[in-house]
Amino acid sequence: MRDFTARNPRTGVHDWRGKALDPPEVGDVAARLRDGQATWEARGAISRLEVLRAFGQALRRHAEPIGAALETDTGRRRIARLEIDSVVGSIEGWARVIAADAPPAWVQGRGLPSVRHITAWKAYPLVGVISPWNFPLLLGMIDAVPALLAGCAVLMKPSEVTPRFVAPVIAALAEVPDLAAVFAVVTGDGITGQAVIDAADCVCFTGSVATGRKVAVQAAGRLIPAFLELGGKDPLIVLQGADLEAATDAALRGSVLSTGQACQSIERIYVARSIHDAFLARLVQKAEATRLNWPDIAFGEIGPIIFDRQADILATQIADARDKGARVLTGGEIETHGGGRWLRPTVLTGVTPDMLVMRDETFGPILPVVAFDTLDEAVLMANDGEYGLSGAVFAASLDEAETIGRRLLAGAISLNDAALTAIFFEAAKQGFKSSGLGPSRMGEDGYRRFLRRQALIANTAPPVPLGAFSEEGLT
Ligand code: NAD
């Protein structure tokens, strides 16, 4: 094991010390989980659901220390509590999927009437879950819960940037021994993450495109599936006739909620030229009305930038945009308060496609606004770039928004709102282009993807003898 520290984003102080597991230790944990998996899978989905429900109750009993840990690591309170609510609530969401599952039935063969078949669903024995720092608990559990319900054992490694919640979650897990036999949460860094991939039969990764590529390569080398949920550069298109009040509300929330530290944040805004100036004026007005949650955490809407290096990326993107001719209408400066670093919502105009802020993922509360003249131009600009996570369209009617939404190359499109995938988990979606790989984690597929299909094929007639395939008798 190696020592590592975590930084408090409100103070800048590295005030937490823990251990990063090395590959042999990860291997030991994986072996223990594998031992328990067959029994876990054999008990059936309804029984597993009861165990997960008990874990949900344990999380509620430990909500105070878990919430406090998330709050310290992320510098925000309400979202810390919402993370716990969302994880516990997700168990009942998956319960509905399981309840709707009809048991497989024998199907008579069409080509060979004497042969019939039935599907058995077999769980991947051990699923590795590797998650990022922006929603430390939620983004690991979003994969772990359905994988466990499917009958897999799960080895979860959250980000080393936000590890404090691991200890109180382990304390909650200890109160549900049946689950602790097949679910472990370990602390560590990229080396620990690589060991998780080496130990697993299937890996769920949420994080950056750069790391996602490495994960995909390592998983390919082991011939195991990698389900990747990666970065985004989500566009919002605002058409002439859109309700400006609603569109600016959605644009602001979609971009600056969680201080923009969300994969589905709006990071580019394209507005019809006829309404561009009015849209911009309202957006700036609303951006200026937001408040930092400093010095009181129970105040305001904008939390600190969680990851110190992220603040440098935001500063670089703003400086690059300024150097290339963009204007900062509000915000624009990384502020230091009490050792933490904050950025107020930053509205940019005069941006061009060559600027970093229009190409690279920002992961912060920056809103570059661009005017367009034709719908084709808006669609072309929105579809530009390597990402295809999600997007949004605002129009006078839902029909019009839908027409444009269908032309966007991204996995989820919010119509007359923005970033709806942050709060609505039932619609199946996939990351397009570099934003992801693998089946949907949302909707029914989010559960099904952990189950392999096994075909049981029965012949009711005598087996066909080898002689039936003899070469003899053919001319
Ligand atoms: P990151 O890629 O730096 O790290 C993610 C995780 O990977 C961490 O746990 C890290 O320890 C681990 N890791 C690092 N190197 C590894 C390796 N070689 N093998 C295995 N694991 C390794 O990402 P981050 O900075 O923590 O998170 C921010 C990124 O996550 C952003 O790009 C954001 O868009 C993305 N994200 C995507 C979604 C989504 O659902 N698509 C959701 C949230 C965040």
Side-chain angles (χ1 to χ4, degrees):
M1 290 200 206
R2 287 157 291 124
D3 282 346
F4 75 104
T5 60
R7 172 181 168 276
N8 180 328
R10 295 181 73 81
T11 63
V13 177
H14 285 255
D15 55 3
W16 182 94
R17 182 173 289 275
K19 300 282 183 197
L21 268 66
D22 282 324
E25 291 134 8
V26 171
D28 289 346
V29 177
R32 175 177 73 75
L33 298 177
R34 277 184 190 283
D35 280 348
Q37 189 270 335
T39 312
W40 177 247
E41 186 173 9
R43 66 194 291 167
I46 303 297
S47 162
R48 288 192 295 271
L49 179 59
E50 288 316 311
V51 177
L52 263 295
R53 282 181 169 137
F55 180 53
Q57 286 160 8
L59 288 176
R60 287 259 182 252
R61 287 194 293 278
H62 292 257
E64 213 177 290
I66 296 170
L70 291 169
E71 183 176 314
T72 307
D73 265 341
T74 61
R76 59 196 186 201
R77 177 168 293 169
R78 185 179 293 276
I79 292 174
R81 294 182 186 177
L82 284 173
E83 280 197 67
I84 301 169
D85 290 346
S86 183
V87 169
V88 176
S90 76
I91 297 169
E92 288 315 311
W94 293 116
R96 286 190 286 278
V97 171
I98 288 169
D101 234 8
W106 285 96
V107 178
Q108 197 62 48
R110 286 187 296 269
L112 290 172
S114 65
V115 176
R116 58 189 184 203
H117 66 99
I118 191 168
T119 301
W121 299 94
K122 308 285 275 186
Y124 286 103
L126 182 61
V127 172
V129 173
I130 300 169
S131 54
W133 48 259
N134 53 327
F135 299 98
L137 173 70
L138 176 66
L139 287 173
M141 296 303 287
I142 203 169
D143 292 317
V145 169
L148 288 163
L149 284 171
C152 311
V154 172
L155 174 50
M156 180 167 119
K157 191 214 78 71
S159 170
E160 66 273 37
V161 178
T162 50
R164 285 172 227 239
F165 76 94
V166 173
V169 164
I170 289 175
L173 190 54
E175 293 176 6
V176 190
D178 284 4
L179 192 65
V182 288
F183 180 34
V185 190
V186 298
T187 46
D189 50 12
I191 294 170
T192 315
Q194 289 174 34
V196 169
I197 301 168
D198 274 341
D201 303 299
C202 165
V203 59
C204 296
F205 172 82
T206 307
S208 62
V209 170
T211 311
R213 277 188 217 284
K214 293 182 199 165
V215 170
V217 167
Q218 192 184 339
R222 294 201 56 238
L223 293 178
I224 62 168
F227 305 153
L228 308 180
E229 302 281 345
L230 308 178
K233 185 81 201 156
D234 288 2
L236 163 66
I237 298 178
V238 186
L239 305 184
Q240 185 174 347
D243 178 337
L244 280 190
E245 208 52 50
T248 45
D249 274 350
L252 186 72
R253 192 209 72 235
S255 176
V256 315
L257 182 64
S258 311
T259 316
Q261 302 162 116
C263 55
Q264 75 290 332
S265 277
I266 294 297
E267 297 202 350
R268 298 174 286 152
I269 305 176
Y270 302 101
V271 187
R273 194 172 299 282
S274 58
I275 57 166
H276 170 269
D277 292 356
F279 177 94
L280 204 55
R282 275 186 215 210
L283 187 65
V284 168
Q285 201 180 30
K286 288 177 183 178
E288 285 179 343
T290 62
R291 301 148 311 165
L292 305 186
N293 73 347
W294 174 263
D296 183 359
I297 194 169
F299 180 82
E301 301 80 24
I302 307 295
I305 299 155
I306 297 170
F307 188 31
D308 201 23
R309 250 181 284 155
Q310 196 63 37
D312 299 332
I313 293 171
L314 302 184
T316 302
Q317 290 197 1
I318 294 168
D320 172 77
R322 274 196 168 115
D323 288 350
K324 290 175 179 158
R327 274 197 308 136
V328 177
L329 299 187
T330 185
E333 301 299 331
I334 304 288
E335 300 175 22
T336 301
H337 301 286
R341 298 169 85 188
W342 271 261
L343 177 64
R344 292 178 197 272
T346 294
V347 179
L348 302 179
T349 186
V351 290
T352 47
D354 59 314
M355 295 176 183
L356 295 175
V357 76
M358 295 302 282
R359 283 207 328 259
D360 294 353
E361 186 175 43
T362 297
F363 227 54
I366 304 181
L367 303 89
V369 181
V370 178
F372 68 83
D373 292 303
T374 67
L375 290 179
D376 285 348
E377 186 193 0
V379 170
L380 202 69
M381 289 194 289
N383 284 340
D384 189 26
E386 76 160 316
Y387 296 100
L389 190 66
S390 37
V393 185
F394 241 96
S397 73
L398 274 178
D399 284 350
E400 197 186 353
E402 181 187 336
T403 303
I404 298 302
R406 285 180 184 274
R407 295 175 63 188
L408 297 187
L409 302 176
I413 312 297
S414 300
L415 305 177
N416 280 4
D417 204 333
L420 282 173
T421 53
I423 52 171
F424 186 75
F425 299 154
E426 291 164 35
K429 69 175 187 87
Q430 289 170 281
F432 288 14
K433 299 195 256 181
S434 298
S435 287
L437 190 70
S440 173
R441 74 159 33 149
M442 307 291 182
E444 197 185 298
D445 291 359
Y447 169 71
R448 282 258 178 259
R449 69 196 157 133
F450 297 114
L451 295 166
R452 296 162 298 172
R453 279 173 176 225
Q454 181 186 54
L456 298 168
I457 309 169
N459 188 5
T460 55
V464 178
L466 178 61
F469 297 93
S470 166
E471 301 290 357
E472 282 169 37
L474 289 179
T475 53

